[in-house]
Amino acid sequence: MSAGQPTVLVVEDEPAQREVLGYNLEAEGFRVAKAENGEEALILVDEEQPDIIVLDWMLPNVSGIEVCRQLKTRPDTRNVPIIMLSARSEEVDRVRGLETGADDYVIKPYSVVELMARVRAQLRRTRPAAAGLRLEFEDIVLDAETHRVTRDGSEIKLGPTEFRLLSTLMEKPGRVWSREQLLDRVWGRDIYVDTRTVDVHIGRLRKSLTMSGGTDPLRTVRGAGYSLG
Ligand code: CA
C-alpha cells in the first residue's frame, strides 16, 4: 500500500510502546503519526486528519479520556474511530461509564495481533475500500480486493490513480471533497502534486465511467471540489 492508505494516530506516552505499536501498524500497511501526550494528539489530529486513533488512557496532563471526549464532541472529528488502551479492566469499565464515546477498548498488556484486528474492524466501517471491501454506488461496483470495477455489469478499466480516486469517492457518496483533500487521500500527503492534477484525473475517471453511455455520476461543485452523486 502506498498513497490512499489509512492514517493511524498513535497516542502513547511510553516511548517503547509507542514505537512497537507504530512499527506494527506500518508493517500492516498503515501510515502512522505518533503523539506522546494529549496536547500533541489534539494538534496532530488537525494536521494529519487520521482515519483512526489508538489512544492510551493514562497520559500526562491532558488524559486520554479528555482527548477522546473533546474529539467526540467536535463535528469534524466525531466520526473518527477511537480505540482506547487501558492498563486494567476496571479502568475500561470506568471509561465506559464516563461515556467518552470511544469506539473500542483494549486492555494492556494487549496482543498486537488482537489490536490490529480491532483497528481493521473499525476501518472496515469507516474506510471500506481501504479495508478491501466491495463498494456499490448505483450501478457502479468496486471490489477493493480484486481491484475490479464494473458499471451495469460491464468491466471498466481504470488506471491506479483513477481507481484510488473512485474508491475514495465511493467510500462517502455525496461528500464534497476539496482538491487538497483528494490529493492527501489519493496521492498521499508526503508528495507534492499540483491541485490541477486532480482535475486531470477526475476527467479521466469521468470518461471511463461514461464510456459505455451511462450518466456522469461525478459532480463538480464550483469553488469546493468534487463529489460522487
Ligand atoms: Ca500511559
Side-chain angles (χ1 to χ4, degrees):
M1 251 194 287
S2 56
Q5 74 215 102
T7 299
V8 185
L9 173 61
V10 172
V11 190
E12 168 65 80
D13 58 322
E14 201 60 54
Q17 291 194 37
R18 192 168 61 238
E19 291 312 310
V20 167
L21 203 43
Y23 173 84
N24 282 286
L25 287 162
E26 277 170 3
E28 288 275 314
F30 299 115
R31 195 175 157 273
V32 177
K34 293 175 216 156
E36 54 181 64
N37 57 52
E39 291 93 335
E40 201 186 350
L42 291 168
I43 293 167
L44 283 182
V45 164
D46 292 326
E47 284 180 1
E48 304 285 338
Q49 295 175 16
D51 296 287
I52 182 165
I53 302 166
V54 178
L55 178 62
D56 187 25
W57 189 74
M58 287 290 280
L59 294 169
N61 303 322
V62 183
S63 72
I65 291 174
E66 180 54 23
V67 171
C68 185
R69 200 194 56 75
Q70 285 193 29
L71 294 176
K72 288 297 180 185
T73 51
R74 275 173 45 182
D76 61 325
T77 54
R78 187 185 296 153
N79 297 322
V80 178
I82 296 179
I83 300 179
M84 289 278 263
L85 302 177
S86 154
R88 292 188 297 275
S89 58
E90 305 91 79
E91 288 175 351
V92 166
D93 291 341
R94 222 184 116 196
V95 176
R96 277 206 189 99
L98 288 169
E99 290 180 359
T100 53
D103 299 85
D104 200 359
Y105 309 85
V106 172
I107 296 165
K108 288 179 173 181
Y110 52 82
S111 106
V112 170
V113 174
E114 190 199 342
L115 182 61
M116 296 300 140
R118 304 275 190 111
V119 168
R120 281 195 300 269
Q122 291 297 327
L123 287 171
R124 270 198 291 278
R125 187 166 59 78
T126 55
R127 293 286 314 274
L133 299 189
R134 179 189 149 101
L135 304 183
E136 288 184 33
F137 176 78
E138 295 174 353
D139 56 353
I140 304 168
V141 179
L142 179 147
D143 188 323
E145 197 167 38
T146 60
H147 274 232
R148 281 189 72 216
V149 177
T150 59
R151 183 162 198 194
D152 198 18
S154 319
E155 184 155 8
I156 292 174
K157 294 272 181 215
L158 294 178
T161 305
E162 284 69 39
F163 182 84
R164 286 202 300 272
L165 200 47
L166 182 62
S167 341
T168 300
L169 294 165
M170 284 184 77
E171 281 184 337
K172 291 184 174 73
R175 171 182 164 169
V176 179
W177 294 79
S178 70
R179 289 168 177 80
E180 289 76 14
Q181 287 169 333
L182 287 172
L183 278 179
D184 282 354
R185 178 60 71 83
V186 176
W187 280 262
R189 329 194 100 219
D190 310 324
I191 303 162
Y192 178 77
V193 183
D194 195 277
T195 49
R196 276 170 299 186
T197 308
V198 176
D199 303 332
V200 171
H201 288 275
I202 285 278
R204 285 186 197 160
L205 178 59
R206 211 169 229 151
K207 199 174 159 194
S208 304
L209 290 174
T210 54
M211 207 170 264
S212 51
T215 54
D216 182 3
L218 300 173
R219 201 158 55 89
T220 305
V221 184
R222 271 189 73 131
Y226 296 104
S227 80
L228 179 72

